[in-house]
Amino acid sequence: MNHRPDFLIAGAAKSGTTILHEWLGLQNDVFFPVVKEPHYFCFKGLSADSIGHGVDAQYAAQMAFDPQAYERLYANAAAGQVTGEASPGYLYFPGVAREIHDFNPQTRIICMLRNPVDRAFSQFMHHVRDGYETFRDFAAALEVENERIENDVWWGYHYRTGGFYAERLKEFFDLFPRSQIKVVLFDDLIQQPQDVLQQTCDFIGARCNSWPDPGKQTNAASGMQRVARFAWQARLSHQHRGMGRLMKKLGVQPTGRICGMAPPQLTSPLRQRLLEGYETDIRTTAKLIDRDLSHWLH
């Protein structure tokens, strides 16, 4: 019985990892643990209370921090199933590629990439939606990002920094043969979902028996019509669904007419400023993965 993963969806965060995880999980040949994001290779040897300030305690508590806990995640895999997991931090933290290679050099790696400006804003909006971000202005959140990093704030708040892909990708390419790495662009995932799923199943060695609903979005946050004015209220509703239903019944739901507000916007000047900062990394990434990413720069 295989008690370790055959493949990993390594990130990047807000680049389609959740929907690909969902699609692959529909295939009979694929086994995923109940824990979607164990982040073992990021935080091995640490604990739930030492991986960054501001992380959701419930989310952190389900991660795997020791090899026994990690291998137990795969204990229920059936013979012949391909096993994997999806932890978006694997494409953010330095040294993760080495940890994975030392654990199993035969692991297949799936890296999902998105226009870094769109990715950053989506991650910000995800935190706004769930009540973890106190700012309602994207530019203001970016202004404090370096301070947050210096103060060991959870990496999910590293909106801009999380979009620099080249250095982490190179770590994987330096250790694993190209035949064991598949790069999926968010653009392709949205425009050609069935092709991406079939190619990914072929890559991990699984038969594809279930096809995605191309119109369904999972974990999307950027297109919200209204957001909660008060972060604490959104967080309470997100963490305690019963409380959220009660708020709705009373007419004071976080995004409603009374408590909600218009969503933050990604302005054109801010987009351009961010793109200028990403330009070198985008061009380097394009060379590494042998794909034209010039449309990201416009």
Side-chain angles (χ1 to χ4, degrees):
M1 190 68 66
N2 182 17
H3 286 178
R4 55 180 59 198
D6 298 302
F7 71 93
L8 298 170
I9 301 175
K14 306 307 296 180
S15 299
T17 58
T18 297
I19 194 65
L20 184 62
H21 177 276
E22 181 176 304
W23 291 351
L24 291 175
L26 296 173
Q27 314 310 319
N28 295 334
D29 283 355
V30 177
F31 173 85
F32 281 124
V34 174
V35 177
K36 174 179 171 279
E37 300 180 359
H39 278 103
Y40 172 67
F41 298 104
C42 296
F43 306 126
K44 182 179 70 172
L46 299 178
S47 62
D49 59 359
S50 64
I51 59 175
H53 303 303
V55 63
D56 180 273
Q58 295 177 349
Y59 175 64
Q62 50 86 55
M63 295 180 187
F65 298 103
D66 64 75
Q68 293 77 23
Y70 188 62
E71 295 195 12
R72 279 197 300 271
L73 295 176
Y74 303 94
N76 293 326
Q81 281 189 304
V82 181
T83 57
E85 54 109 331
S87 295
Y90 292 164
L91 201 59
Y92 180 72
F93 289 96
V96 167
R98 170 60 67 186
E99 291 285 350
I100 295 170
H101 189 271
D102 289 349
F103 186 78
N104 179 13
Q106 304 305 315
T107 306
R108 290 184 173 270
I109 309 296
I110 301 170
C111 299
M112 307 187 69
L113 307 180
R114 182 180 186 178
N115 179 311
V117 177
D118 294 333
R119 192 219 66 81
F121 186 65
S122 179
Q123 191 163 2
F124 166 74
M125 289 296 292
H126 179 104
H127 279 171
V128 169
R129 180 196 70 188
D130 293 345
Y132 297 112
E133 178 57 75
T134 55
F135 288 103
R136 292 296 179 267
D137 178 74
F138 186 38
L142 294 174
E143 284 292 324
V144 301
E145 182 168 321
N146 287 339
E147 181 181 344
R148 285 173 163 176
I149 293 173
E150 291 172 3
N151 291 328
D152 195 29
V153 171
W154 171 245
W155 73 276
Y157 296 92
H158 305 177
Y159 306 125
R160 177 180 175 274
T161 310
F164 291 99
Y165 307 133
E167 190 172 353
R168 297 290 87 78
L169 281 170
K170 187 175 185 303
E171 291 184 31
F172 282 100
F173 287 139
D174 285 346
L175 290 168
F176 293 89
R178 294 286 175 130
S179 60
Q180 285 178 228
I181 301 175
K182 179 173 180 57
V183 175
V184 177
L185 297 186
F186 183 81
D187 317 46
D188 296 338
L189 185 76
I190 299 303
Q191 296 167 12
Q192 307 161 36
Q194 294 195 357
D195 289 346
V196 168
L197 177 58
Q198 183 64 68
Q199 293 163 11
T200 305
C201 284
D202 293 343
F203 174 70
I204 64 176
R207 291 170 297 176
C208 190
N209 61 268
S210 181
W211 297 100
D213 176 358
K216 181 180 180 181
Q217 287 188 317
T218 300
N219 208 29
S222 298
M224 292 185 296
Q225 298 302 307
R226 291 176 68 80
V227 300
R229 188 180 306 275
F230 308 108
W232 64 266
Q233 189 186 21
R235 186 166 60 252
L236 183 64
S237 177
H238 171 68
Q239 294 178 338
H240 305 281
R241 300 308 167 110
M243 184 63 71
R245 289 191 293 270
L246 177 61
M247 290 179 187
K248 185 174 183 179
K249 185 176 181 179
L250 296 174
V252 291
Q253 63 266 40
T255 59
R257 180 178 59 84
I258 297 175
C259 300
M261 59 181 289
Q265 300 296 314
L266 174 57
T267 65
S268 294
L270 179 56
R271 172 182 286 278
Q272 185 58 38
R273 178 161 61 87
L274 288 169
L275 278 176
E276 290 171 359
Y278 282 127
E279 181 175 359
T280 298
D281 192 81
I282 289 173
R283 297 190 187 282
T284 304
T285 297
K287 291 179 181 178
L288 279 171
I289 67 174
D290 195 24
R291 288 287 302 266
D292 180 8
L293 300 179
S294 58
H295 58 289
W296 284 4
L297 293 167
H298 302 297

